[in-house]
Amino acid sequence: MPALVLLGAQWGDEGKGKATDLLGGSVDYVVRYQGGNNAGHTVVVGDQKYALHLLPSGILSPGCTPVIGNGVVVDPAVLLSELSGLAERGVDTSKLLISGNAHLITPYHTTLDKVSERFLGKRKIGTTGRGIGPAYADKINRVGIRVQDLFDESILRQKVEAALDSKNQVLAKLYNRRAIAVDQVVEELLGYADQLSGYVADTTLVLNDAIDQGQVVLFEGGQGTLLDVDHGTYPFVTSSNPTAGGACTGTGVGPTKISRVIGILKAYTTRVGAGPFPTELLDEDGEKLRTIGGERGVTTGRDRRCGWFDAVIARYATRVNGLTDFFLTKLDVLTGWERIPVCVAYEIDGKRVEELPYSQTDFHHATPIYETLPGWSEDITQAKTFDDLPKNAQKYVQALEEMSGAPISAIGVGPGRDETIQINSFL
Ligand code: IMP
């Protein structure tokens, strides 16, 4: 069972870092396949807390090779500062591999992300402002700059010229901004070449060879299913495919090589940025979830919107990702509620709807239909097995599993590395 995908089943921030890190000890490669430094993983190792944005969380596991696949967009300045930050804390980062086909986020992408959001005004997406959308737009438009371009000055210059030709018109005429000089961008990018060259590899070849040799490869999704540009709540989404298929296009590993797809599912729901969110709580309960769950973005520091668990979304994640397992996280955050509502279906224009509607209009009109489950008050952070959980916590997990369409194979009961109940092995 050598290749697994681990991805967010909701709107991101489900606690993937903990799950990947938990597996990191037994996997040979941890691979990011999409997104960029818009992601934010918090990993707690002993008394040390690490916030990773671009690097795969496997970087913290000695013996594991971290890989940035071709589907990722790489801001080289951020990458280098993340690497040096880890090196200062004694983490060995020398094994990192970066695909030469990954696209770069340049300063003009970040500028465009910010000005275009401002221009959208009330209709803004609430992006992380990291240049993600503009970098992917250039990739699809075939005017992107790739990691490998850093090593050929003449090609790099031609590509930056091609990219800036039209962008400078847009910046100056539409957004009333100063044009960006080609020389300045080329010089900055060339400055990264030497520092990055040792990491660049044909990662598709490396990963396929590794799988053929029976090594364990873990594909780590950023963001989450509902932020997927094809399957999420478009247009309030990110510009890549966090869903399972993205692991194939974003790394060059075929679907027949993937044996397991694990969805990370928070015991309640959160979302950052704009867009519909049927179970959102704008009351004391929402505030309580935010405070107890520490629901503040790792990347942007923005407060996350919080709400009850939504089984319609979990079922949808099972469907579009072909999930084989769930990793339920942050169950401990729900300790202390007398009763816990769970959304089992939506009401849309007076009708009960069991599946996520494909129509944006319908989804915006969806109101949750709740079933209320009894809560528990006992501390669960020391629980090591399912049987250690209070009966009502067990019932909550079982109910979620029945509603969500895939087995819950692990449960997070606290932020620490060892605060996890493993029910089925992932390997
Ligand atoms: P972008 O990815 O910066 O373009 O932002 C698009 C949307 O995805 C916004 O609503 C962001 O808040 C959201 N987003 C991007 N990355 C993450 C993440 O790692 N967790 C949660 N939301 C994210």
Side-chain angles (χ1 to χ4, degrees):
M1 294 286 234
L4 312 107
V5 183
L6 211 144
L7 52 83
Q10 295 148 320
W11 275 286
D13 307 315
E14 295 90 351
K16 292 181 287 275
K18 177 177 159 78
T20 346
D21 181 57
L22 182 80
L23 283 157
S26 36
V27 301
D28 300 297
Y29 292 83
V30 177
V31 190
R32 277 205 59 186
Y33 56 88
Q34 48 67 237
N37 56 309
N38 50 346
H41 291 320
T42 308
V43 184
V44 181
V45 184
D47 57 357
Q48 296 283 312
K49 197 170 176 182
Y50 298 89
L52 301 172
H53 302 288
L54 178 58
L55 290 166
S57 35
I59 196 129
L60 298 171
S61 300
C64 175
T65 303
V67 179
I68 293 180
N70 56 276
V72 176
V73 283
V74 177
D75 184 326
V78 171
L79 176 63
L80 290 168
S81 96
E82 210 159 281
L83 285 171
S84 64
L86 287 174
E88 272 165 27
R89 292 172 75 179
V91 178
D92 175 17
T93 58
S94 62
K95 292 174 100 175
L96 175 70
L97 300 177
I98 305 171
S99 166
N101 288 350
H103 280 246
L104 292 175
I105 300 177
T106 69
Y108 52 80
H109 293 124
T110 320
T111 302
L112 280 166
D113 195 357
K114 289 180 183 148
V115 291
S116 59
E117 277 281 276
R118 219 169 295 147
F119 206 69
L120 280 170
K122 272 204 317 235
R123 287 166 299 174
K124 73 177 181 191
I125 315 278
T127 73
T128 57
R130 303 293 196 264
I132 307 294
Y136 277 114
D138 275 5
K139 171 178 174 175
I140 301 303
N141 237 347
R142 293 160 297 185
V143 288
I145 315 287
R146 296 189 292 175
V147 169
Q148 59 179 290
D149 299 327
L150 295 175
F151 311 110
D152 186 327
E153 185 174 347
S154 146
I155 292 249
L156 179 67
R157 182 170 298 278
Q158 289 175 45
K159 290 192 174 176
V160 172
E161 268 168 13
L164 279 180
D165 253 359
S166 57
K167 279 185 193 61
N168 274 336
Q169 302 278 342
V170 172
L171 279 171
K173 292 183 184 152
L174 184 64
Y175 297 123
N176 206 16
R177 294 271 157 159
R178 222 176 302 148
I180 295 170
V182 171
D183 281 350
Q184 191 189 323
V185 174
V186 171
E187 200 179 308
E188 174 174 339
L189 292 178
L190 285 175
Y192 301 125
D194 281 350
Q195 297 173 78
L196 291 179
S197 63
Y199 298 114
V200 180
D202 182 350
T203 50
T204 292
L205 186 61
V206 171
L207 292 172
N208 278 285
D209 281 353
I211 293 171
D212 289 346
Q213 286 161 19
Q215 291 191 290
V216 180
V217 176
L218 180 68
F219 299 99
E220 170 184 77
Q223 294 81 52
T225 298
L226 274 295
L227 287 172
D228 185 284
V229 69
D230 284 277
H231 301 292
T233 48
Y234 190 90
F236 302 102
V237 293
T238 192
S239 299
S240 64
N241 290 115
T243 50
C248 297
T249 50
T251 63
V253 170
T256 50
K257 302 268 172 86
I258 291 170
S259 40
R260 206 93 179 243
V261 185
I262 304 157
I264 314 298
L265 191 64
K266 211 183 298 203
Y268 50 97
T269 316
T270 62
R271 161 161 217 174
V272 197
F277 179 179
T279 63
E280 181 169 20
L281 293 166
L282 299 168
D283 59 6
E284 268 167 35
D285 280 330
E287 196 48 50
K288 203 167 146 193
L289 284 173
R290 190 172 305 115
T291 309
I292 301 174
E295 297 298 350
R296 183 173 277 268
V298 178
T299 296
T300 59
R302 289 183 288 182
D303 274 353
R304 295 180 186 138
R305 300 158 65 193
C306 296
W308 299 123
F309 184 83
D310 185 337
V312 182
I313 280 172
R315 277 198 292 280
Y316 180 72
T318 303
R319 166 156 51 102
V320 296
N321 293 300
L323 295 182
T324 57
D325 305 79
F326 279 115
F327 189 138
L328 187 71
T329 58
K330 295 187 125 174
L331 185 64
D332 53 303
V333 173
L334 293 178
T335 300
W337 262 278
E338 220 166 291
R339 307 192 64 75
I340 310 172
V342 170
C343 168
V344 293
Y346 300 141
E347 187 181 309
I348 303 173
D349 297 333
K351 288 201 194 86
R352 184 182 168 106
V353 174
E354 306 278 341
E355 297 293 336
L356 196 90
Y358 73 85
S359 149
Q360 186 184 353
T361 309
D362 285 352
F363 194 52
H364 279 262
H365 292 160
T367 53
I369 298 174
Y370 286 115
E371 249 174 43
T372 303
L373 301 173
W376 60 92
S377 54
E378 302 89 330
D379 175 22
I380 61 167
T381 55
Q382 303 306 312
K384 299 283 173 247
T385 66
F386 188 72
D387 291 337
D388 292 342
L389 291 173
K391 279 280 164 294
N392 284 348
Q394 292 185 13
K395 282 188 196 148
Y396 186 80
V397 173
Q398 281 161 342
L400 264 46
E401 182 173 273
E402 270 165 38
M403 292 171 193
S404 304
I408 292 176
S409 295
I411 306 167
V413 291
R417 234 179 187 182
D418 47 358
E419 289 170 330
T420 299
I421 298 171
Q422 183 103 40
I423 299 167
N424 304 311
S425 163
F426 291 126
L427 298 169

